[in-house]
Structure formats: structure tokens, C-alpha cells
Amino acid sequence: MFQRILIANRGEIAVRIIRACYEMGIETVAVYSTADEKALHAQMADTAICIGGGPPKESYLNAQAILTAASISQCDAVHPGFGFLAESAEFAEMTNACGFTFIGPSPDVIRLMGDKAAARQQAKLAGVPVIPGSEGIVGSPGEAQQQAERLGFPVMVKAAAGGGGRGMRAAADKDSLTAAFQAARAEAKAAFGDERIYLEKLLLDPRHIEIQLAADRHGKIVHFGERDCSLQRRNQKLLEEAPSPFADAALRERIGADAVRLANLVGYEGVGTVEFLVDRERRHFFMEMNTRIQVEHPVSEETTGTDLIRIQIACAANQPLGLTQNDIEIRGHAIECRINAEDPLKQFRPGPGLISFVHFPGGPGVRVDSAIFSGYRIPSEYDSLIAKLIVHGKDRPDAIRKMRRALMECHVSGVKTNIDFMLAVLREPDFADGNIDIGWMARNGERLLLPLIEEEKADV
Ligand code: MV4
């Protein structure tokens, strides 16, 4: 097992990893930026090393600074968390080349899955259903018109280097396709330096259901069931739950087996997630694979009673998975709400600032993953996630009730948050009925803001 791990991240995920390491008897080295001198992860780790300025490029994206810190502190492994360098094949390569273990899959697998067109091809090879689309890259507007004609409109124009919704444009008809193609290509070139584009048929109001899996370095793979992440706003997930209220036993079985087959085909190692879109007929289609631990991993931990960070670290240390698929039982229902420092009434604009006071909920079945505290100043350089509230109940209604309680108990002063907005979501009949697709928030968000506007008027 590793003796000392460097955590190449910040915020709640860095804290989450430090907690797992402590329980495993592994020492931790935090890296932090000058904007994070008071950050909790830097205080909690056994050692903390300042690696540069507040802007991510100067610190958490600075591979050389991070690996220098790993070297002087004599770490044997590097945990990338999520975001920042977590899905950089180059960083994984550099880490390994420096003699540290990168806690994640091989650089080749990261690179393969990072190319969304290549990943789709791998899914096809594994016999996993993919959304009908172009065979490989589409080079010109003319070729796009040809492919779209064959597929039928509407279509989705996607950047091969994209993911998470970036470099993506829908086209309803022939007339809008060329503009969509050009826009996606320009965005892809600017954002990724890679203008390769492919086409898919556009799925209308699907659900986003993903499978959490873990693979050891001895060829064994298990999955931890699905998470439903359909409740999102502009590609930002707001709430995730497990199991999916839309999945029946048959769908669960199919997507689990498909995710494991794909992971097996590409030689996946470590924890990872296979994302699917599921249509109204409960047909599932491969969307992409995330080669990292994800923000929403706790809901799977709660329903399966496992510690995915511990499993991730053990796999990286060449330990065999201590469990088989039969050992993994889904118990009850878990929900996660992402609490952000943002103002729902100002287009959810992030609002950094001083948290003068915070009180977190507790009690049975309530978990809080956070790195904030009373007196903490949220820096403007990073994302606005300040806490994840995770509840685990005996069934979905029980979990919803618990989440309402947790949100009501939660108090944050000094900055605006989305807590009241999330409470409004949890009171919606559509939510209670599990009637949520990826377009639900776009259709209902404005209406949910109305009571918040009234409340603000009453406050002043
Ligand atoms: C799609 C789609 C509909 N049809 N592909 C968004 C994130 C990126 N990974 C792929 N995404 C989508 N791909 C086809 N052919 C709709 C989305 C999509 C989406 C997917 C999951 C969760 C939220 C989303 C929000 C907007 C669009």
C-alpha cells in the first residue's frame, strides 16, 4: 500500500480523499494556491505545500509544480480528484514517468475515452448501443448535410474532443445545420485545439443515467448500480440520486452489464463512470465515459455501503477488488444536492465572499461533504460548489423527506446560495413522481423562482 499520497486538488474532494487516506493509514500531502492559504484541505493534510498563484493555470493545473511538490515530499502516488488535471492523459503520463503512481486508469485509456468519437467506436465494438450517428468524423458542411439526411433531423453536432456539453450544437433542420456545424467546429477549435466533429441523431428529452464501476489491475470489474443525474441546469448537475426512479430491474441489468463490458474491452483500471442517455421507451444509449471519480460518487457509496475512494486507492496500489458483483446490494435510496454559492435570482451568478456563519444538518441518514467553515472566504478563482448534502433513506419518499429536512437545517450566512431553490425543486410533484428529464429545469426553472422573488421582497 502507498505510504504517502499527494492530492492534486482542492475543496471538498481533496478533504474527502484526505479522510479516506487517514482511515487507510496513508499520509497526505496537500498542494494549495495563494488563494487557498486558509483552505480546509491545506489544514487537514499532514503536509501542505504552496504551488503557485490563485489562477488554476498557476497552481492546480501546473503539472510541474505539483510533481515537484510530490518529489520533495517523497510521495509514492498522486490522486487527481476531479476537474483540473484528473482527465489529462499528459499529466497521468508525467506522473508515472516521475516514478509516482497516478491514481486512475492508464494514460492510454484516459486519452481514448477523452476522444468522444473514439469512445463511441469502442462502445460499438463492445456491443453497447450508441445513438445512431455518423461513422466517424464529419469533415465538411456538405458531408454533415449528407449524414443528417440519412439519420433524419433533428441532429446533434458534437466535438470529438468535447464532453460535458462543450462544443455541441443541435440542428433542427437542413437550414440550421451548416451554421450549427460551423459553430461547433469553431468552439471546438478554440476550446480544445481539435476541430474534429461527428454527428448523432438528437434524442428528445432523455434522462441521464450513469453506471459507477470499479476495475482492479487483475482484470476484475464490478459496478455499483446506476445514478440518475437528469436534474441539471445548463449542463450543471444540481441533484443526483440512486437508484434511478425511471430504471426498472431489466434496464438496470442491461446498463450495468454494458458498462462493465465496455470497461473490460478498453482495459479500464480504477473507478469510472459510463454515462447513458435513456429515452422514453427505456432504450439506453452510450454517451461518454468519465475516467475519474465524480462529484456525485457519494450517492452510490450510500446505497451500496462502500467507500469508493478507498476502493480507487486500493486498485491503484494493485490490490485485488475484495468484492464480487454478488456482494454489491443496492439498499434504500440516496439523494445528493449540490449547494452552490450563487444567486438564483441573478441567473445563478456565482457569488464569492466571506461565509460569516454556517450550520450544517445532521442526524440519521444525513451526510455533508464540504470544505467550508464559519469565517471561510470563498475565493473567486474556483467553482461555486460549497457543499454536497447527501441523504440515505429506506425508500425514495423517505429520502426526499430527509433531504427537505437537511436543506431546512442548513444555514449559510454571508453569501447567497441555491438552498431555497433546491427546496422548491423538492416540493415539485414532478420530482416526487420521478418525472424529470434533462430538459425539465429549462422548462420549469423560471416558475420555481417566483416564490423566491416574493421572499426577497418580504426581506427588504
Ligand atoms: C446528446 C443529447 C441529445 N442527443 N446527444 C450533454 C453533455 C454531453 N456529454 C452530451 N450531452 C447531450 N448529448 C444526443 N444525440 C443531449 C445532451 C444533453 C445532456 C445530456 C445529459 C445531461 C444533460 C444534458 C443537457 C443538455 C444536453
Side-chain angles (χ1 to χ4, degrees), residues 271 335 395 429:
V271 301
I335 304 176
D395 53 23

Side-chain angles (χ1 to χ4, degrees), residues 131 156 158 163-165 168 200-203 208 232 235 275 277 287-288 438:
I131 303 166
M156 191 71 117
K158 291 186 172 182
M168 206 173 73
E200 280 178 358
K201 191 155 176 68
L202 177 77
L203 295 187
H208 175 166
Q232 59 88 35
N235 277 310
E275 300 184 339
L277 290 177
M287 185 162 58
E288 38 190 84
I438 64 170

Side-chain angles (χ1 to χ4, degrees), residues 291-327:
T291 58
R292 59 169 192 273
I293 190 76
Q294 286 185 272
V295 175
E296 60 270 28
H297 76 275
V299 298
S300 303
E301 294 187 318
E302 295 304 316
T303 52
T304 60
T306 55
D307 180 335
L308 289 167
I309 304 290
R310 192 178 184 124
I311 291 170
Q312 183 184 29
I313 293 169
C315 285
N318 286 319
Q319 292 190 354
L321 274 173
L323 71 187
T324 64
Q325 193 61 56
N326 273 333
D327 297 325

Side-chain angles (χ1 to χ4, degrees), residues 7-237:
I7 298 141
N9 216 299
R10 63 178 303 283
E12 65 85 19
I13 190 61
V15 167
R16 171 73 187 85
I17 297 161
I18 292 167
R19 286 173 171 154
C21 287
Y22 183 88
E23 291 181 13
M24 297 174 83
I26 301 169
E27 291 172 36
T28 51
V29 176
V31 291
Y32 65 94
S33 74
T34 52
D36 270 343
E37 274 161 1
K38 308 241 168 83
L40 189 61
H41 77 285
Q43 296 185 50
M44 280 176 70
D46 295 301
T47 308
I49 301 176
C50 184
I51 53 165
K57 276 207 158 53
E58 297 175 20
S59 45
Y60 302 107
L61 289 173
N62 185 344
Q64 288 216 6
I66 292 165
L67 294 174
T68 302
S71 183
I72 62 171
S73 58
Q74 296 178 52
C75 287
D76 34 28
V78 174
H79 196 308
F82 48 64
F84 297 121
L85 295 167
E87 286 172 290
S88 163
E90 291 69 38
F91 179 65
E93 237 154 30
M94 285 171 74
T95 301
N96 293 333
C98 288
F100 312 117
T101 301
F102 178 80
I103 300 178
S106 73
D108 287 345
V109 169
I110 297 174
R111 194 170 286 118
L112 182 65
M113 290 301 160
D115 179 336
K116 304 306 165 186
R120 182 173 176 278
Q121 194 57 35
Q122 293 298 309
K124 259 177 109 164
L125 274 174
V128 179
V130 298
I131 303 166
S134 58
E135 293 315 309
I137 303 305
V138 175
S140 66
E143 222 181 295
Q145 289 291 358
Q146 222 174 341
Q147 292 288 338
E149 210 73 34
R150 182 175 66 79
L151 296 166
F153 283 97
V155 297
M156 191 71 117
V157 183
K158 291 186 172 182
R166 294 177 311 162
M168 206 173 73
R169 289 284 188 290
D173 50 39
K174 204 164 166 282
D175 294 342
S176 56
L177 178 59
T178 296
F181 180 86
Q182 308 281 32
R185 189 152 75 169
E187 191 179 319
K189 190 173 181 184
F192 318 115
D194 177 348
E195 57 177 7
R196 290 175 306 133
I197 294 291
Y198 66 105
L199 244 60
E200 280 178 358
K201 191 155 176 68
L202 177 77
L203 295 187
L204 295 173
D205 299 330
R207 290 162 211 253
H208 175 166
I209 299 180
E210 59 188 28
I211 293 284
Q212 174 71 57
L213 55 82
D216 67 17
R217 295 187 175 196
H218 308 274
K220 256 185 70 178
I221 308 178
V222 296
H223 72 81
F224 299 82
E226 83 283 5
R227 293 186 288 257
D228 194 318
C229 310
S230 300
L231 197 80
Q232 59 88 35
R233 183 185 171 275
R234 299 194 173 182
N235 277 310
Q236 283 280 99
K237 293 169 184 169

Side-chain angles (χ1 to χ4, degrees), residues 337-395:
C337 276
R338 299 191 187 193
I339 307 304
N340 301 319
E342 63 188 15
D343 188 351
L345 297 181
K346 297 214 167 84
Q347 283 89 50
F348 295 85
R349 189 178 58 193
L354 179 73
I355 295 173
S356 50
F357 175 79
V358 56
H359 174 79
F360 282 130
V366 177
R367 163 177 170 184
V368 181
D369 279 20
S370 174
I372 67 162
F373 48 85
S374 293
Y376 174 71
R377 184 177 289 281
I378 305 167
S380 58
E381 282 88 346
Y382 312 111
D383 70 3
S384 58
L385 182 75
I386 54 172
K388 305 188 301 201
L389 302 188
I390 305 110
V391 299
H392 185 210
K394 72 178 193 331
D395 53 23

